[in-house]
Amino acid sequence: MSLTTSPQTRLPDGAGHVLVELRDDIAILTFDRAEKRNAISDALADGLRAFFDAPPKSVRAVVVIGAGGHFSAGLDLGEQSRREPADVMKHSRRWHQLMDTIQFGGLPVVAAMSGSVIGGGLEIAASCHVRVAEPSVRFQLPEGKRGIFVGGGATVRIGRILGPDRMTEMMLTGRVYDAAEGYRLGLAHYLVGEGEGLDKAIALARDIASNASLVNYLVIHSIARIDDMSRSDGLYAESLSAALSQTGPDALEGLRAFLEKRKPNFS
């Protein structure tokens, strides 16, 4: 496949602390607040929202990475002022909407993680579908030690990865997991050498992008929702997903490619 690289551009409209680079059908999003260990400001969150609300039509998979050796140190507490309960709830719900947009926007998202993957940064990573960790990674949910509770979806996404018991311990103690420990627990799917995270993430994104786009969409949407369903409802939803995937032109191309012993060329 040819490699077409576009200059990095910033979204939205020159703000947002998010750089976007297009490489053929892959978009690389870079958190660009290295001086703050890529702490998530409202502007950075708005930049992510702007991309995932309206990604370029040519993009089939996304890689997310942080500049300066850190994925993200979490919510930018320097921006936080005293808020009324209703304001905190609305801010939390905005984070939930953003994480849902990343997870259920329809594009497979691969996180290339290094350094700090903390608090809100871990919540963003958990909303990504595939996670690659370099040896420098440190996973932490320090909110309990700062007098606050998580608000970006950690209890649902991270709690389901770790289980509620381990997440409770992680928040009560402020425990830090390194890359190898996080890998064993499911916080990362791949371990790579230092400085190898982006290349691995791009390779995975390219491989995923070569899948049938409908199947990628169904995998992203159906599996997470089936996990919320009863056994019988989940099996029914699985049958619906199978029916959608096995009756279109991509299914015919997959069968033809198998019989012809070649790689399929999905639309």
Side-chain angles (χ1 to χ4, degrees):
M1 180 182 291
S2 64
L3 180 63
T4 302
T5 303
S6 69
Q8 288 184 323
T9 57
R10 193 182 298 277
L11 289 180
D13 299 330
H17 304 293
V18 177
L19 298 177
V20 180
E21 180 184 353
L22 301 182
R23 300 191 186 183
D24 293 326
D25 52 3
I26 305 300
I28 301 173
L29 307 189
T30 302
F31 304 149
D32 191 33
R33 299 191 77 204
E35 75 285 356
K36 293 277 192 176
R37 291 191 299 162
N38 300 312
I40 310 298
S41 62
D42 287 342
L44 195 155
D46 287 341
L48 284 174
R49 196 172 285 111
F51 176 85
F52 283 103
D53 279 346
K57 294 186 184 299
S58 62
V59 172
R60 293 173 66 100
V62 180
V63 172
V64 179
I65 190 170
H70 293 280
F71 185 75
S72 174
L75 184 66
D76 188 346
L77 296 179
E79 282 192 354
Q80 305 307 303
S81 57
R82 181 174 176 82
R83 291 178 170 142
E84 295 300 314
D87 294 328
V88 175
M89 184 173 183
K90 290 175 182 177
H91 188 262
S92 172
R93 294 299 289 155
R94 285 270 290 168
W95 268 67
H96 292 164
Q97 290 168 0
L98 173 58
M99 303 307 163
D100 281 349
T101 301
I102 295 171
Q103 182 176 1
F104 296 116
L107 288 174
V109 184
V110 182
M113 302 179 295
S114 60
S116 299
V117 188
I118 293 174
L122 182 50
E123 288 174 321
I124 290 176
S127 71
C128 298
H129 307 102
V130 180
R131 295 178 294 278
V132 179
E134 295 186 2
S136 61
V137 161
R138 295 294 179 269
F139 298 107
Q140 188 183 26
L141 292 174
E143 286 84 352
K145 291 298 186 181
R146 294 173 179 164
I148 57 177
F149 195 79
V150 294
T155 55
V156 172
R157 290 185 178 87
I158 300 169
R160 290 189 178 184
I161 293 170
L162 298 176
D165 177 73
R166 190 174 289 276
M167 182 176 168
T168 298
E169 182 273 338
M170 192 176 182
M171 284 195 66
L172 287 175
T173 65
R175 181 174 182 168
V176 177
Y177 288 112
D178 64 23
E181 291 169 326
Y183 172 75
R184 287 195 294 271
L185 293 170
L187 296 174
H189 300 109
Y190 296 86
L191 287 179
V192 296
E194 199 64 39
E196 297 176 358
L198 180 58
D199 287 345
K200 179 64 174 179
I202 291 173
L204 288 166
R206 288 199 181 285
D207 184 53
I208 293 167
S210 71
N211 297 342
S213 57
L214 175 60
V215 171
N216 280 346
Y217 188 88
L218 290 171
V219 167
I220 288 169
H221 279 268
S222 298
I223 294 174
R225 287 181 167 84
I226 287 170
D227 188 49
D228 285 334
M229 296 178 182
S230 68
R231 181 179 181 276
S232 59
D233 289 343
L235 292 172
Y236 184 74
E238 179 183 280
S239 295
L240 289 176
S241 298
L244 284 172
S245 69
Q246 293 177 23
T247 53
D250 284 333
L252 293 176
E253 167 61 12
L255 175 60
R256 192 178 300 117
F258 175 77
L259 294 175
E260 296 173 0
K261 295 181 171 54
R262 61 173 174 82
K263 186 174 182 179
N265 183 21
F266 295 119
S267 59

